[in-house]
Amino acid sequence: MCGIAGIFDFSGDSRILVNDLEQMIGSLRHRGPDQVAAVAKGNAGIAFARLSIKDFDHGMQPVTACNGLVTSICNGAIVNWRELRAELEARGHAFQSQCDTEVVAGAFAVHGRDFATKLQGQFAAAVHDRRDDSLTLARDPFGICPLFYTVVGRTLLFASEIKALLAHPAVPREVDLTGVDQVLTFPGPVSPRTLFEGIHSLAPGHCLRVSMDGTVNQWPYWDLSFRTETAADQRSEEDWLEELDTLLTRSIARRMEADVPVGLYLSGGLDSSLVGAKARALANGGFPLHSYSIDVRAGALSEVKYQRLVSKFLQTNHKEISLSAADILQRLRAVVYHTETPIRESFNAATFALSEEVTASGQRLVLAGEGADELFAGYVGYRFDQSGMRRDLPPHEAALSERLWGDAQFVYEGPLMRVSAINKSLFAPELRQAYDNWSCLNYPPVNVDRLKGLDRLQRRSYLDTKLRLGDHLLSGHGDRMALAHSVEVRYPFLDADVAEFASRLPSHLKLHHLNEKYLLKQLAARHLLPALAKREKFAFTAPGSPTLLAQGSDLVDHLLDSATIRRQGYFDVDEVQRLRVEYSQPGFRLNAPFERDVLLVVLTFGLFLEAFDMPNVN
């Protein structure tokens, strides 16, 4: 992974200052500590900060094709680069390195706007085409790599992180209230929304093109698409199992290709353990595997015994981290700075601490198990959908569910009319008066047409992929916490072929008699100990605001102080203090993940305002 940034001036003046590019990329050196470049030519300027994973001597970007007329920069890992390179070489393209991202420029030169459909892996790419003076941006299908942009006057700016856009002197700072409401309602902000007014997140699986006449076009080049079961799909369970085994093995092998050692994140659960077992077999003793795990809970809730069991079984060099509430508070300011949004759960601090340990161990590349829950029905909501329990939502809730999800009796993230009422009461009176105008429930957060014809399991899988996985678990919780310490994380379950397999896998092989991730468990039985292969999904949570309040922290006191809340002007002072008293009661606990930690959003929103020098309402 790396950091990218750039400026495209379509005013015709071509007034791009290298100093502006250097300021932007300078804010991303945590993403790319090894080398940096900033180049301005005509009306386009691009900058790159490199984290060296492959071909140390020749892998620096930008990269050119078509005799220098096409220039690309790419943050990410292109796992099908060998096949794509062979195709491009057959068309006469020459290559200067053994670096996977060099194929991006060639793919664009040959395939034009369809170039992203040829790339497999995780990527955020920008291509300047001097043949027609255009700039094209692309983000990988699941949103593993973030990519943000804004238009100021007749200039488009883009970057891997928002802080790089804010480093440009022309970019204003203003809170997007709908983005705040999304954090309170959904797992996090949903592309294209961010917490910054006028700054957008390119949605996963999308491209954007801007030309010199100022036209900005966006289009999806990929989306999760479920196939209706056909006669050809009437295969035995064993046939499905064999195909999954082959595809996952190939995916892991592709993601282990690097010129640096490969490590593992081990949660103690099924997904990361299965990835680890296959990585161990592929390594075949050729190099030692290092693994990392974190424990944020004590007693019966701790997963340490399973993490140790996996590590012992895989024979890894294991690092185990314990994270207390005090440790979370110590990291909370940095977590919000790198996430660039307030958060509803503190587990971002756990992955922040994990990447901290990876760097301290001298490594920079790890494999993780994210994506399996969304593609293979791993969350409790899937079981609830199939349990036969009637919902009978009230008419107003049913109407909202129909509008948002295309199903009047489908529940996602709770009864949202009630959630919205709670959110509304949290905002300051001046903002509350206009809340109905900017509530995030005014429009569906996904394309509802994509939900038509899906069964309940497929519907939830699609929504989890769009609302929970991309901008939240992968971008905020994953990429941003890893790259804060110059660590690249790769996700084998989010391989294009594995995802396509999951999209046509019959629902009963994902959730079988309320047994979640059924086929994955059958696969795990081939490669793992029974105690690991048969484990029920165990939701990862971290200490919330009730625990943080009990620490007696000066930081918490400052952020929740009535004078602070009143000065900022975003939240209702009395409501915040009421929540603070309620959450501070002895024995009070939130039933995570079913209850929202509203007070943690307030806490981290205060850190967000301070970190980015955001304006107060008053």
Side-chain angles (χ1 to χ4, degrees), residues 34-49:
D34 298 328
Q35 289 177 279
V36 66
V39 180
K41 289 185 179 180
N43 63 308
I46 54 179
F48 184 76

Side-chain angles (χ1 to χ4, degrees), residues 7-262:
I7 305 170
F8 186 77
D9 182 352
F10 48 91
S11 69
D13 294 334
S14 301
R15 296 174 299 177
I16 295 178
L17 301 178
V18 173
N19 182 63
D20 290 340
L21 286 169
E22 291 174 343
Q23 290 294 319
M24 293 172 70
I25 203 65
S27 68
L28 301 180
R29 288 307 302 272
H30 52 280
R31 299 184 68 92
D34 298 328
Q35 289 177 279
V36 66
V39 180
K41 289 185 179 180
N43 63 308
I46 54 179
F48 184 76
R50 186 185 185 200
L51 176 66
S52 300
I53 297 292
K54 190 167 178 57
D55 197 349
F56 296 165
D57 295 331
H58 306 102
M60 186 57 182
Q61 301 181 49
V63 173
T64 61
C66 288
N67 297 317
L69 294 178
V70 172
T71 303
S72 72
I73 49 175
C74 179
N75 160 38
I78 310 300
V79 300
N80 67 327
W81 71 278
R82 292 185 183 278
E83 305 95 278
L84 187 52
R85 175 172 171 148
E87 175 205 326
L88 297 172
E89 285 178 330
R91 292 172 177 254
H93 285 269
F95 291 86
Q96 306 301 316
S97 76
Q98 292 296 312
C99 195
D100 54 297
T101 51
E102 192 181 358
V103 299
V104 173
F108 185 90
V110 171
H111 300 288
R113 61 173 279 156
D114 294 327
F115 82 109
T117 66
K118 309 300 179 182
L119 307 176
Q120 293 186 24
Q122 52 198 70
F123 56 87
V127 183
H128 178 220
D129 188 352
R130 294 174 62 192
R131 297 171 299 183
D132 63 358
D133 221 349
S134 64
L135 177 78
T136 302
L137 307 178
R139 188 177 179 198
D140 68 73
F142 289 101
I144 299 170
C145 297
L147 188 55
F148 301 96
Y149 69 95
T150 187
V151 176
V152 181
R154 292 186 61 79
T155 302
L156 182 140
L157 302 96
F158 67 89
S160 296
E161 297 183 15
I162 294 172
K163 58 182 64 66
L165 300 179
L166 298 177
H168 191 281
V171 177
R173 300 169 188 243
E174 184 178 347
V175 173
D176 187 313
L177 294 173
T178 305
V180 180
D181 199 43
Q182 282 187 339
V183 173
L184 289 162
T185 305
F186 303 123
V190 183
S191 293
R193 188 74 60 175
T194 73
L195 271 288
F196 298 82
E197 184 71 35
I199 295 179
H200 314 287
S201 170
L202 185 62
H206 277 66
C207 289
L208 176 151
R209 181 182 185 274
V210 57
S211 56
M212 280 300 292
D213 64 3
T215 303
V216 178
N217 293 317
Q218 283 195 59
W219 65 93
Y221 69 87
W222 184 91
D223 204 353
L224 186 61
S225 181
F226 295 92
R227 282 176 47 190
T228 303
E229 190 172 345
T230 66
D233 294 324
Q234 300 297 320
R235 305 158 56 189
S236 69
E237 180 180 311
E238 185 65 22
D239 285 344
W240 287 108
L241 191 58
E242 287 296 332
E243 184 178 0
L244 177 57
D245 202 348
T246 299
L247 291 175
L248 189 57
T249 299
R250 186 178 68 177
S251 173
I252 293 171
R254 282 175 157 185
R255 284 158 180 80
M256 291 178 69
E257 186 176 341
D259 293 335
V260 296
V262 179

Side-chain angles (χ1 to χ4, degrees), residues 530-601:
L532 299 170
K534 296 180 180 180
R535 277 200 74 193
E536 186 176 321
K537 171 67 178 177
F538 192 66
F540 182 85
T541 59
S545 60
T547 304
L548 302 184
L549 282 169
Q551 303 304 301
S553 163
D554 290 341
L555 176 63
V556 172
D557 289 342
H558 159 68
L559 293 170
L560 296 182
D561 184 76
S562 293
T564 302
I565 301 298
R566 186 176 292 108
R567 184 184 71 253
Q568 293 167 347
Y570 290 92
F571 296 128
D572 185 280
V573 174
D574 293 337
E575 180 64 9
V576 170
Q577 297 315 311
R578 185 193 70 77
L579 289 170
R580 184 176 184 179
V581 170
E582 179 185 0
Y583 285 25
S584 298
Q585 293 295 318
F588 176 84
R589 63 184 295 271
L590 291 163
N591 184 19
F594 303 105
E595 291 183 301
R596 290 163 169 76
D597 193 341
V598 175
L599 205 56
L600 188 60
V601 176

